[in-house]
Amino acid sequence: MISSTAAAPSLGRDIKVMGLVGVAHWVSHFYHLVLPAVFLLLHDEFEVSFAALGLLTALFYGASGLAQTPAGFMVDRYGARRVLLAGLALLSAATLACGLVESYWMLLPLAILAGIGNSVFHPADLSILTAKISPHRLGRGYATHALCGNLGWAAAPTFMITISQIWDWRVAIICAGLIGLTIVAAFLIWGADLEDTPDASAKVEHIPMGRLMDNARLLLSATIISCFLYFAFLAAALIGIQSFGIPAIINMYGLTLAEASHGITGFLLGTAVGIFFGGILADRTDRHDRIAIFGMVVSALFIFYIAMTAGLGPAMLLGLLVAGGVASGVTTPSRDMLVRAAAPKGASGRVFGFVYSGLDLGSALVPLLLGWAMDQGYPAAVFYATAGFLAVTTLTVVQVRRQVVTAEDPA
């Protein structure tokens, strides 16, 4: 684990650490939507189905999910900065290579490599924040982290479609890959504040069976499993809009590619606005479960209205998507505070790595089904699925709160 300093971190150091980690998270989320943003173009270029394109997303998140828990152990053993830079370099290089392929099938192994690179971000980022940010600013630290990630999501569709329309999709993907490689170089020069000291007690090689069983009991406890399921359902909700929101909007409402892109960007920017205010709320209450439940229910209602209502105009659709994004975003810092409360001291890399692999599981399972629904001419399934999974997340929040309260007050 990252060693804590004897003195409380200064505001300036906190801000710099938040900024560096935020940039890394921005890049990782930006890459999540590099390929989905041009799915319509890839659909025409390679003459493949939406289900086949959904397979790319499934492989990316499947590989990321399988690698994320080992990445958490690597963070605890070797230090977050090393693992973070290695993952970012792999993700960037694999993305750049996607712009050089000559057939759809060449994208499949690159999606897996990119997913492995993506696996490091949550355990590395959140371990750095948990160890280095002052406790009274931690809610805002988590909010900044999530805010930057959502801004990365919001930037990708506009960036990719704009570059694709000026040149083509290959140039857009190559430019996206170069962004990450440039940031890796910058972090090697200016990222000293992320330097950390691995915990010698966290060695995993030749580890006694008793320690292995302790780790298994920790990660498979009711509280941690509830957190894992929360993220799985949340990701299942969001991946539909992120991967197929643009073609779904075009098919449902007859809008242009640019108008549909603006709608998805509005949802993601709305989420970012919600995260900003959610960070303030998270630092002012200890009932993070109430914030998470309220926000998810409200967001689900907005998205459900989109799914069931025909003939929405561009302005009304944009307003509903932004409102749904704001409601969802408010919950994000509180969810991270719930996970922090559930993670024992000294095990944050492992816990964050395992719990956040739920995001990848949910993201891996849903795209194939929604791609098939798109191929069958049922684009509304994208929004019905999003609303349904958002509603289900509230059940897991109740369970997490119950388990944490029980652990704190066993009597």
Side-chain angles (χ1 to χ4, degrees), residues 67-81:
Q68 192 158 157
T69 299
F73 279 89
M74 291 178 67
V75 166
D76 287 341
R77 170 63 181 91
Y78 298 107
R81 183 174 182 269

Side-chain angles (χ1 to χ4, degrees), residues 21 51 132 195 221 227 257 259 309 314 319 330 361 385-386 388 390 402 404 407 410:
V21 173
K132 292 201 166 186
E195 196 65 61
S221 67
C227 293
L257 177 62
E259 289 171 333
T309 306
V330 165
L361 175 66
T386 296
L390 284 173
R402 182 181 297 123
V404 169

Side-chain angles (χ1 to χ4, degrees), residues 26-402:
W26 183 95
V27 178
S28 73
H29 279 227
F30 178 80
Y31 283 138
H32 292 176
L33 297 188
V34 163
L35 288 183
V38 293
F39 269 178
L40 277 174
L41 303 178
L42 298 178
H43 178 270
D44 295 336
E45 174 80 14
F46 296 125
E47 299 181 347
V48 294
S49 66
F50 284 111
L53 295 172
L55 178 60
L56 296 174
T57 302
L59 289 174
F60 175 90
Y61 286 108
S64 181
L66 290 174
Q68 192 158 157
T69 299
F73 279 89
M74 291 178 67
V75 166
D76 287 341
R77 170 63 181 91
Y78 298 107
R81 183 174 182 269
R82 294 178 185 177
V83 177
L84 179 64
L85 290 177
L88 178 54
L90 178 59
L91 175 58
S92 304
T95 300
L96 187 151
C98 288
L100 305 175
V101 302
E102 296 297 330
S103 70
Y104 162 81
W105 301 106
M106 296 173 69
L107 290 172
L108 299 179
L110 292 174
I112 293 172
L113 288 175
I116 293 171
N118 181 71
S119 70
V120 309
F121 287 96
H122 281 125
D125 289 356
L126 294 170
S127 290
I128 292 170
L129 292 176
T130 299
K132 292 201 166 186
I133 299 299
S134 303
H136 64 282
R137 298 191 191 105
L138 196 53
R140 281 162 285 183
Y142 287 151
T144 301
H145 177 259
L147 174 64
C148 290
N150 279 266
L151 290 175
W153 276 341
T158 300
F159 177 90
M160 294 300 296
I161 289 173
T162 299
I163 301 298
S164 296
Q165 290 178 335
I166 296 175
W167 287 285
D168 62 21
W169 64 266
R170 294 181 186 278
V171 173
I173 293 176
I174 291 171
C175 288
L178 291 174
I179 289 174
L181 293 175
T182 301
I183 290 174
V184 170
F187 271 32
L188 288 171
I189 300 171
W190 293 296
D193 275 295
L194 301 182
E195 196 65 61
D196 45 33
T197 303
D199 185 351
S201 67
K203 291 184 179 181
V204 295
E205 64 269 23
H206 309 298
I207 189 167
M209 183 58 69
R211 285 290 304 281
L212 286 173
M213 294 305 296
D214 287 344
N215 285 324
R217 279 192 292 269
L218 167 64
L219 298 182
L220 298 179
S221 67
T223 305
I224 302 304
I225 290 295
S226 297
C227 293
F228 175 90
L229 291 175
Y230 172 89
F231 284 104
F233 289 128
L234 176 64
L238 298 180
I239 195 64
I241 285 185
Q242 292 172 356
S243 295
F244 295 110
I246 291 175
I249 289 173
I250 291 173
N251 290 340
M252 289 175 68
Y253 301 110
L255 303 184
T256 66
L257 177 62
E259 289 171 333
S261 175
H262 292 157
I264 301 306
T265 299
F267 175 81
L268 298 171
L269 287 175
T271 303
V273 171
I275 290 170
F276 175 80
F277 290 106
I280 297 173
L281 290 174
D283 277 338
R284 295 184 177 182
T285 181
D286 60 355
R287 291 306 306 267
H288 303 109
D289 56 313
R290 292 178 178 175
I291 297 174
I293 291 172
F294 178 78
M296 288 303 175
V297 169
V298 172
S299 182
L301 291 174
F302 281 121
I303 302 302
F304 183 75
Y305 185 80
I306 293 173
M308 64 180 294
T309 306
L312 291 174
M316 182 65 174
L317 178 63
L318 177 61
L320 290 168
L321 286 168
V322 170
V326 170
S328 174
V330 165
T331 71
T332 301
S334 288
R335 82 182 185 194
D336 292 335
M337 295 297 279
L338 285 169
V339 176
R340 173 178 177 263
K345 185 176 181 181
S348 60
R350 279 159 279 180
V351 170
F352 281 125
F354 177 73
V355 164
Y356 278 83
S357 67
L359 288 173
D360 296 314
L361 175 66
S363 298
L365 295 179
V366 173
L368 283 172
L369 294 175
L370 293 182
W372 176 83
M374 289 290 298
D375 290 329
Q376 302 306 309
Y378 190 47
V382 171
F383 296 102
Y384 280 120
T386 296
F389 283 121
L390 284 173
V392 171
T393 61
T394 61
L395 301 177
T396 63
V397 173
V398 171
Q399 180 66 15
V400 171
R401 171 67 182 180
R402 182 181 297 123

